[in-house]
Amino acid sequence: MHITICAIGRMRDGPHLDLFNTYQKRFNQNAQQIGFKKLKLVEVEDKNKNDLKTETQMVKKAVAKATKVFGLDEFGEQLDSMEFATLLKALKNQNEKEISFVIGGADGLDKEFKKSCGRLISFGPMVWPHMLARVMLSEQLYRASTIMLNSPYHRL
């Protein structure tokens, strides 16, 4: 199963990018063992800074192949790490070919786009910077892979 993170905006060199790359690399090292492909990041940017509608069109184009699209949103469902790992395992067992997680920009995700997502997921009621959300999601994907492998990384 392919997993794509589609995010508005581009990460520049710095600690956020370094952390994201670390967790992406760790996930990719586990991916084949659990039946996944390498984690891919697709960044889209509205250089004209038009509006959420323009960003939404770019995101839809980027995730068009996805069989399931999950939006990250402060009002989404809160999952613990075990539930998140169980969700990913279930999707793989249902023979999903490609899933995408979408992270909005500074203004979040368009309301209509959120309605079209299969599910909205939240990292809690606090609002997180969109660059940090990428790091948090990549870490949770790595953590889920270690849970599936019964690795000691995840402790209860």
Side-chain angles (χ1 to χ4, degrees):
M1 180 171 74
H2 292 270
I3 298 178
T4 300
I5 296 174
C6 179
I8 305 293
R10 302 213 183 275
M11 278 194 285
R12 309 292 187 237
D13 285 341
H16 294 108
L17 181 59
D18 293 343
L19 279 170
F20 177 84
N21 288 338
T22 296
Y23 290 118
Q24 180 184 36
K25 180 179 177 182
R26 289 180 182 183
F27 176 86
N28 289 344
Q29 290 170 338
N30 290 345
Q32 189 173 12
Q33 297 174 66
I34 57 173
F36 289 79
K37 305 293 184 196
K38 290 185 177 185
L39 175 62
K40 183 171 82 171
L41 173 65
V42 174
E43 296 177 308
V44 297
E45 188 170 32
D46 178 13
K47 294 185 184 201
N48 296 323
K49 307 286 186 220
N50 289 333
D51 57 26
L52 284 175
K53 298 289 182 202
T54 303
E55 290 179 350
T56 300
Q57 291 170 350
M58 296 169 77
V59 167
K60 284 182 178 180
K61 185 177 178 183
V63 301
K65 294 181 186 176
T67 52
K68 299 280 184 192
V69 176
F70 299 90
L72 270 67
D73 184 77
E74 66 182 297
F75 300 109
E77 178 182 3
Q78 294 179 35
L79 303 173
D80 66 29
S81 296
M82 293 296 288
E83 292 168 329
F84 187 66
T86 300
L87 169 64
L88 292 176
K89 188 174 182 179
L91 291 166
K92 181 184 70 78
N93 291 340
Q94 294 166 12
N95 294 317
E96 296 293 343
K97 300 295 180 214
E98 184 162 338
I99 63 170
S100 292
F101 292 92
V102 179
I103 300 171
D107 295 321
L109 297 171
D110 177 74
K111 289 179 186 178
E112 291 304 312
F113 179 77
K114 286 193 276 188
K115 290 178 186 176
S116 72
C117 290
R119 200 166 182 176
L120 295 176
I121 296 175
S122 172
F123 286 135
M126 292 182 175
V127 176
W128 295 98
H130 58 280
M131 296 300 173
L132 189 53
R134 297 170 199 211
V135 174
M136 294 166 66
L137 178 57
S138 64
E139 191 282 336
Q140 284 300 300
L141 288 165
Y142 168 64
R143 183 176 297 274
S145 75
T146 65
I147 290 169
M148 289 182 235
L149 290 169
N150 295 314
S151 164
Y153 179 79
H154 178 74
R155 293 169 181 79
L156 296 176

